Amino acid sequence: MYDIYEEIIDLTRRRGFIWPTSECYGSVAGFIDYGPLGAMLKRRVEDLWRSFYVYQEGYYEIECPTIAQESVFIGSGHVKEFADKMVQCPHCKEFLRADHIAEAHKTPNAQTMSSEILARTLMSLPCPSCEKIFGPVEVFGFNLMFKTAIGPGTQRTGYLRPETAQGMFTDFQRLLRFYRDKLPFGAVQIGKAYRNEISPRQGMIRLREFNQAEAEIFVHPMQKNHPEFSRYRDYIVPLYSMNEQNNGLSPKKHTMDAAVKTNIIANEYVAYYIALTHELLTKLGIKEERMRFRQHLRDEMAHYASDCWDAEIYSDRFGWVETVGIADRTDYDLNAHAKESGKEFKVFVPFDVPKTKKQLKISADMGKLGPLFKVKAKLIADALKDAIPGETSTRVIVEGEEYEVPNSLFSMKEEIIELRGEEVVPHVIEPSYGIDRMIYAVLECSYYEDEVEGETRKVLRLPARIAPVQVAVLPLMNKEGLDSLASELNSRLRSNAIFSVYDDSGAIGRRYRRHDEIGTPFAVTLDFDTIKDKTVTIRERDSMKQVRVNIDELETLIPGLIHDKIQFESLL
Ligand code: GAP
């Protein structure tokens, strides 16, 4: 039976996009190699992401280690909380993800069920591995982080990072200085993340080592209006809100402005990055009808998040796949690291106009305090400055001990003080992209088969901007000077940062098919007219139409075509 997934996997292996890792030893589930074309495709997808987050948004990119010391993940909560629910099949002994099994059997809310209820649900279900009914089983938490030891011996525990985000939180103070102490600011990071997934059976969708592109945008907690919101105010996106999910309705299209005004989306920042993500995914070639933005349900949303949306892409094989998460994480992460590290994660925000405030000034009478509290008197006097006075006496805590100080031992005076600003813990808006899932979606959306001259033509209709090979340079024959003209053209294109490939092997039709299959958007053919009048043909992959141009025009035409500045149709 024809299976598009198998066709794509076959193509990606044969043509050097994606390979199973360390195949000669038997590959390991959850790990893949990007082959020559895959690595190039990945780099181009990341560069498109950069064109939005670094060039458009102006957020600088940083690079942190992929291993971090244990305290980082104690602070972030991953050591305690980052676990999936696991079950071991009593028959075949395979370890499996309990909620995924329940989900596959249409159990609602399996992801948020307690271990006890999941165990009860699994009792009557078959094991996906050996197909025997589970019967009584135990469901338990399995922490997904890979643990390691830093340095010789095992004195220092480290973990491979399960997300790139934490580096941006732990670098917060340095980033704040870099951005000259002003909110809002953002940092981005593209890199590897690691999760010891329990049973990764979905190819590139669930990996143990994968690639993330994340932005952490630090904003004033009371100012969640994006300064550039007008860019996406009227942008329309299909939203699958809590309301639609709870009432069995379909996603609805909204402008970002309407979605914020009607409180479907919590604030402009979240709406802005939903629209930006939609635009970015469209540029990657993901079709409108395969995209939706699903809001997390109340019991699915992290307790600290005030709003969270997943960009989901429809896969013929896997159904709706979460590919990007966009969340308002509030001040959770910065407070958590402040608590664990004992450092301050705050920003001083000056007021436009200084404010005044009435304040009670308490001054201790050391002559009376000294004889009563002896060595602690000075500390008690300091603590009194911030105390709230009682009716006759005032309580203060010094070095963990409580002291009751009679009000007769100090004087109180109301004074007016000037406030120049306030200290705030910023909130974090986080768009988090899974690069591998994006690449899989791109491959599935761009794969086509059509018929040319009675033969099936396999085509990857990749947007020109992300195609690994951008131009195929094809001399009609490798003689009579055509080959040297073609090699010269190839070098000229490459010296202009256009990745072209010289190919003179086989009939021209075969060469076109070879390049169609790897998504090369343009093929330049040199024939005998090229020798006479310096003209060549440019063939466009999808329409297979050809246009004749002067060879010297290619250095400007090709970049224009790749970056959508020139439409191929306009050349015809
Ligand atoms: N910092 C937030 C965060 O990491 P997440 O939803 O756990 O959020 C973000 O991950 C994205 O990373 C997901 O939307 C997905 O695209 C990708 N991702 C997560 N786990 C993955 C895995 N095991 N294999 C491949 N991609 C994964």
mmCIF file of all heavy atoms in Angstrom, residues 119 144 218 264 292 446 469:
data_model
loop_
_atom_site.group_PDB
_atom_site.id
_atom_site.type_symbol
_atom_site.label_atom_id
_atom_site.label_comp_id
_atom_site.label_asym_id
_atom_site.label_seq_id
_atom_site.Cartn_x
_atom_site.Cartn_y
_atom_site.Cartn_z
ATOM 1 N N ALA A 119 -3.167 4.095 35.560
ATOM 2 C CA ALA A 119 -2.948 2.659 35.755
ATOM 3 C C ALA A 119 -4.266 1.896 35.593
ATOM 4 O O ALA A 119 -4.319 0.840 34.971
ATOM 5 C CB ALA A 119 -2.342 2.408 37.131
ATOM 6 N N LEU A 144 13.067 12.954 32.657
ATOM 7 C CA LEU A 144 13.536 12.877 31.271
ATOM 8 C C LEU A 144 14.940 13.438 31.073
ATOM 9 O O LEU A 144 15.465 13.393 29.960
ATOM 10 C CB LEU A 144 12.580 13.646 30.360
ATOM 11 C CG LEU A 144 11.156 13.110 30.247
ATOM 12 C CD1 LEU A 144 10.377 13.887 29.224
ATOM 13 C CD2 LEU A 144 11.163 11.634 29.863
ATOM 14 N N PHE A 218 11.966 39.540 27.864
ATOM 15 C CA PHE A 218 11.731 40.012 29.227
ATOM 16 C C PHE A 218 10.965 41.333 29.155
ATOM 17 O O PHE A 218 11.439 42.294 28.543
ATOM 18 C CB PHE A 218 13.078 40.208 29.956
ATOM 19 C CG PHE A 218 13.869 38.916 30.034
ATOM 20 C CD1 PHE A 218 14.843 38.596 29.087
ATOM 21 C CD2 PHE A 218 13.623 37.999 31.052
ATOM 22 C CE1 PHE A 218 15.552 37.410 29.151
ATOM 23 C CE2 PHE A 218 14.336 36.802 31.126
ATOM 24 C CZ PHE A 218 15.307 36.507 30.177
ATOM 25 N N ILE A 264 -9.354 36.446 24.028
ATOM 26 C CA ILE A 264 -9.061 35.048 23.639
ATOM 27 C C ILE A 264 -7.573 34.820 23.876
ATOM 28 O O ILE A 264 -7.159 33.803 24.429
ATOM 29 C CB ILE A 264 -9.437 34.808 22.158
ATOM 30 C CG1 ILE A 264 -10.936 34.987 21.977
ATOM 31 C CG2 ILE A 264 -8.987 33.420 21.708
ATOM 32 C CD1 ILE A 264 -11.397 34.943 20.540
ATOM 33 N N ARG A 292 -2.745 25.269 12.817
ATOM 34 C CA ARG A 292 -3.697 25.865 13.750
ATOM 35 C C ARG A 292 -2.942 26.192 15.038
ATOM 36 O O ARG A 292 -1.884 25.599 15.327
ATOM 37 C CB ARG A 292 -4.870 24.921 14.027
ATOM 38 C CG ARG A 292 -4.491 23.710 14.850
ATOM 39 C CD ARG A 292 -5.683 22.807 15.120
ATOM 40 N NE ARG A 292 -5.298 21.750 16.046
ATOM 41 C CZ ARG A 292 -6.028 20.673 16.291
ATOM 42 N NH1 ARG A 292 -7.181 20.501 15.685
ATOM 43 N NH2 ARG A 292 -5.613 19.763 17.162
ATOM 44 N N SER A 446 6.103 19.548 1.371
ATOM 45 C CA SER A 446 6.680 19.899 0.067
ATOM 46 C C SER A 446 6.787 18.690 -0.871
ATOM 47 O O SER A 446 7.093 18.848 -2.040
ATOM 48 C CB SER A 446 8.053 20.553 0.246
ATOM 49 O OG SER A 446 8.938 19.626 0.792
ATOM 50 N N VAL A 469 20.362 22.782 -2.160
ATOM 51 C CA VAL A 469 21.072 23.209 -3.374
ATOM 52 C C VAL A 469 20.180 24.231 -4.048
ATOM 53 O O VAL A 469 19.007 23.978 -4.300
ATOM 54 C CB VAL A 469 21.326 22.004 -4.316
ATOM 55 C CG1 VAL A 469 21.963 22.465 -5.620
ATOM 56 C CG2 VAL A 469 22.203 20.965 -3.618
#
